[in-house]
Every structure is written in structure tokens, then in C-alpha cells.
Amino acid sequence: MKIAIVCYPTFGGSGVVATELGLELAHRGHEIHFITYRQPVRLALLNQNVHYHEVNVPEYPLFHYQPYELALSSKLVDMVKLYKIELLHVHYAIPHAYAGYMAKQMLKDEGIDLPMVTTLHGTDITLVGNHPFYKTAVSFSINKSDIVTSVSQSLKDDTYKHFSIKKDIHVIPNFIELDKHRNESLISCQRSVMAEKEERIVTHISNFRKVKRIPDVIKIFFKIQQQIPAKLMMVGDGPEKEKAERMCEELGIQDKVIFFGNSNEIDQILSYSDLFLLPSETESFGLAALEAMAWSVPVISTNSGGLPEVNFPGQSGYLSDVGNVDEMAENALKILSNNSTLDAFKSNALTVAKQFDIQNILPLYEDLYHKALNETKK
């Protein structure tokens, strides 16, 4: 199959999922064309089955905001015609499904019927998409897609709750490339650089937005380190980072917390971690939690959004209500205070992660691609 993938080329979960999906599809012999405004962060190496096409948005004084959707839809039309692309897979309802629909209409005028699969990731539904300014366009884009998927049952339910959707939504969870995670060399990072031998390593990875409840991460760790020797690894960047650094100074734990910023060493950090904290207000799925579990790191998280679909209480970690930092700290200490308990949770976390291995998830997408192509040919 010749497939075009449209996604955000950033550190966010949707861009990572789209990129990893495309690369694995290429390994299976499909011809993949990434079409976006910048090369995706995880698209480090191109091969004969992977192509990248940059969307250029020319500046013009008439436009206060440059019309990316217009440039994207035009680029899609050009690339479909040039490379004989058979199917379009867009990640995020807006602006990608919206631009994809316009491209479909332009192509129809030239006798080309291009099926479009839209994957909903979360923010396009729960935050941005639910804004009154965008809601009508989001509903339209989803309903005009040939196939719609969501990364969790929770997100599917939210979509039906907040929008007038007439399409069936297929739940296909996010995934992890387990072989890649387990086989990477970790020589470049030694545990002793981050913590002493007797210290537990607690980690949080996110974009440091308010929805991640960064102050709760600090509060939970503060309670943990009062009971056992521990260090906190804070990986990522965003508007809440400065506040978190000040909070650590006020609590007198700045020497126990390392702020890495955005890092390409996430796998190395997780490989030495003992516990992962994710006290988010909501998560459409919880990809960061799954990536931690793939490195045998148990997870303390909230029970909101799609998190209960990936973090199984008593096995891979524990779930708590949003804001219940006392219970989260308590559960963290249950796992960390005893070596045999920690080892059991580590083993179980990896077992749960194996259910979400890309080799189990990718065929679900391939089946839907074939379904979309067959329906187009009718």
C-alpha cells in the first residue's frame, strides 16, 4: 500500500505514535509518505519505503495567521497525484482531518477517490476541539472521514458525548516497540550519575502543562523522600517547569531533583528508574506510562481518561483520584519500600506492556486500511 501520514512533528504523543506506526508499516513493505511542516522528531533515518514531504506556508501580508490548512491540503493533492498514494491517515481531527477532507474533494474533481482514516488522540477532542470556535469543524471532519479510530475507549466515549458523531469509532490503543526498547545499548548512561546505590529513582516525563499537575508530582516525591532515600528525574519542558523548580527550592529538595528538559535520553533514564509518576488531570491514553512500563517501571497515576486502560492496579502500579497526593505517595511507598515487592511490580509492568506491543496493534490498523480501500472501490 502507498500511505500518506499527516501528524504533528513534535515531542507529543500523537506525533510519536504516528511516526512509529509509519516506520513499522514501512518495515512491512508499505510505502509511507510523511507530510507535515517539519520532519518528525523520531523520523531520524529515511529508507526506501519512507519519504518525507515538507509543507511550506508562504508568508503573505494579507494573512494575519498563515493558512496552514490550505497549504497542507494543496500539498496532499500534489503528493497523491505524484506518488499515486492510495490512502491517507491523519492524526488529529483539526487541522489534519479538515485539510484531508478538502484534499479529498479536490482529488474527486480529477477522478481520484482517496480514502481517509482519522485517528483521534485526545486534545483534538477534549480541549481544543471542544472549544465553541472549533466544535462544528471537528464534528464535520470526523463525520467526513472514511474510518475513525481513537486511542482509548475513554476518548471514544468523550467524542460521542461532546460531538454529533454519526460514524463508528474503532478503538485501537497506543503501542510500544518492545524489541527496540529492550535491545538498545545503555552504555552512555550510568545509574550512578543520577543517584546513589541506595536511592530509589522516581521519574516523571511530560510537556509540563497544567493538565499534567506538575505540583502534584513534586508533592508526591516530597512525601516519598521523607520515608526512603530517593531522587526525582523531571524530563520535559513547558510552562510549569519554572514553578516546579521554585517549589523544589521552597521544600528544600532541589538537591534531590534533576530537571533534564526535553531529552533524547528518555530510554536510558527509564532503564534505571524504579517508579513513574503520572498524576495528570486527564490522559487520553497514557503513552508515557506505557513507555515506562516497557522498561519494567511500575506507574503511580490518576484514574482519569484512558489511564485505567493501560495501568492495571496491583499489577503495573496503582490508580488514585485526581489530586489525592497522599494516597499516591502511600502507594508509591508500598512499591518502593521493599525490594521483593518492587521486583514483582517491575516484572508485572513489563508483562502488561507486552499486551501493547506494536506487533499486536499494527495489524488492527492494516485491517482498517484494507476496509477503507475496499469501501472506496465499491
Side-chain angles (χ1 to χ4, degrees), residues 78-319:
D78 292 342
M79 295 302 99
V80 168
K81 288 159 64 178
L82 182 61
Y83 292 98
K84 305 286 190 281
I85 289 168
E86 301 167 85
L87 181 135
L88 174 61
H89 189 173
V90 300
H91 295 258
Y92 260 55
I94 53 170
H96 299 151
Y98 193 79
Y101 171 74
M102 294 308 299
K104 278 170 61 73
Q105 295 307 109
M106 286 187 272
L107 287 164
K108 264 185 185 176
D109 286 346
E110 302 194 31
I112 300 171
D113 197 355
L114 181 73
M116 180 171 72
V117 176
T118 296
T119 292
L120 310 175
H121 285 271
T123 308
D124 52 342
I125 296 302
T126 57
L127 188 60
V128 178
N130 201 28
H131 194 284
F133 290 170
Y134 303 115
K135 199 163 186 174
T136 303
V138 171
S139 294
F140 176 85
S141 301
I142 294 172
N143 284 323
K144 290 299 181 180
S145 301
D146 296 281
I147 299 279
V148 183
T149 76
S150 71
V151 297
S152 67
Q153 181 64 42
S154 170
L155 182 59
K156 174 181 176 177
D157 294 341
D158 284 343
T159 305
Y160 282 130
K161 178 181 176 183
H162 297 299
F163 299 90
S164 301
I165 303 303
K166 300 162 189 172
K167 305 286 295 185
D168 287 335
I169 299 176
H170 305 264
V171 176
I172 301 183
N174 284 335
F175 50 79
I176 201 78
E177 286 191 84
L178 216 56
D179 288 344
K180 175 186 168 186
H181 279 70
R182 305 316 301 175
N183 293 333
E184 285 193 12
S185 170
L186 302 173
I187 296 171
S188 61
C189 180
Q190 300 297 323
R191 189 188 190 282
S192 58
V193 173
M194 298 192 291
E196 300 297 327
K197 189 177 179 182
E198 71 279 2
E199 290 178 315
R200 302 296 196 196
I201 294 179
V202 180
T203 300
H204 172 80
I205 302 170
S206 77
N207 52 20
F208 284 59
R209 290 183 294 131
K210 278 193 174 181
V211 70
K212 302 298 180 180
R213 298 185 69 94
I214 302 300
D216 284 4
V217 175
I218 306 298
K219 290 174 188 175
I220 295 164
F221 175 72
F222 180 73
K223 293 176 182 293
I224 291 171
Q225 59 84 42
Q226 285 181 318
Q227 301 294 321
I228 58 173
K231 284 280 180 70
L232 175 62
M233 309 294 129
M234 297 289 282
V235 185
D237 205 351
E240 294 287 291
K241 185 183 174 187
E242 227 176 275
K243 180 180 176 183
E245 289 172 328
R246 285 199 307 271
M247 194 173 174
C248 290
E249 288 178 14
E250 290 164 5
L251 292 170
I253 57 172
Q254 65 269 29
D255 60 329
K256 297 182 180 181
V257 183
I258 300 174
F259 287 87
F260 287 89
N262 285 328
S263 173
N264 291 319
E265 307 297 319
I266 287 174
D267 287 333
Q268 284 83 350
I269 294 167
L270 287 174
S271 72
Y272 292 118
S273 297
D274 297 302
L275 191 72
F276 190 81
L277 300 181
L278 196 63
S280 307
E281 192 81 31
T282 188
E283 293 279 346
S284 59
F285 176 79
L287 185 60
L290 180 56
E291 289 188 327
M293 288 156 55
W295 282 109
S296 302
V297 183
V299 175
I300 296 294
S301 74
T302 49
N303 55 14
S304 64
L307 284 167
E309 296 174 49
V310 65
N311 183 20
F312 301 163
Q315 297 180 55
S316 57
Y318 287 106
L319 301 166

